Every structure is written in structure tokens, then in C-alpha cells.
Amino acid sequence: MSISIDGQPLQVANGISVAAAIALAGHSFSRISVSGQPRAPVCGMGICQECRVSINGRAQQLACQTLCQENMQIQLAKPAVVSGLST
């Protein structure tokens, strides 16, 4: 099936999680912490919530708990977007 991550098309197999697709695409992180640190999935079961991404325009979705669907649009956090949120 076809999905996109940050606007880049990617072909993935049925049954693959969004977190796995992000790793398959070569991204080492899925979000940026409030302090500006890159974060990546840790637990793989939705508890750590380090894998939060925007999926089809919905923010804060757990990539490790979401299976890819045809034409899914995934957005990873950008450091420039959250840099103003640092305390």
C-alpha cells in the first residue's frame, strides 16, 4: 500500500505499524520534545507515547499502535515548529 511521510511517498506492506513505517523510511525520530530533543518509540505498546505523530491531520496519534492504511498522510514533528514552545 502507499502512504506518505512528510510528503514523501512510501510503499509498505499490509499490517505494518506507522512506527515501523517511519523506521523503514529511515527516520530516527518521530517527534521533538518540548526541550527540543528528538524522540523515538521506546516501548512499542503505547505507554511511553514517544511515538506521537500527526496522521491524516490528527495530532498526537500513537504511531506504534496505529496500522498503516492506504493513502495515509503522516507528519513528523519539525524542530522549527516546536522551538517556540521551549521553556
Side-chain angles (χ1 to χ4, degrees):
M1 76 178 69
S2 179
I3 65 169
S4 76
I5 299 176
D6 287 344
Q8 298 297 312
L10 180 68
Q11 293 293 317
V12 297
N14 286 336
I16 190 171
S17 71
V18 170
I22 291 168
L24 181 66
H27 297 281
S28 60
F29 66 92
S30 53
R31 70 179 195 93
I32 303 295
S33 72
V34 173
S35 64
Q37 300 299 310
R39 310 299 292 183
V42 176
C43 70
M45 55 187 179
I47 295 172
C48 74
Q49 300 200 7
E50 296 292 2
C51 63
R52 290 175 284 165
V53 295
S54 291
I55 300 175
N56 296 334
R58 294 183 60 205
Q60 308 294 327
Q61 303 300 300
L62 296 178
C64 72
Q65 296 297 297
T66 305
L67 295 179
C68 290
Q69 296 179 357
E70 183 70 28
N71 298 319
M72 184 177 268
Q73 307 288 314
I74 300 159
Q75 294 291 314
L76 306 179
K78 302 284 187 289
V81 172
V82 296
S83 63
L85 299 177
S86 297
T87 56

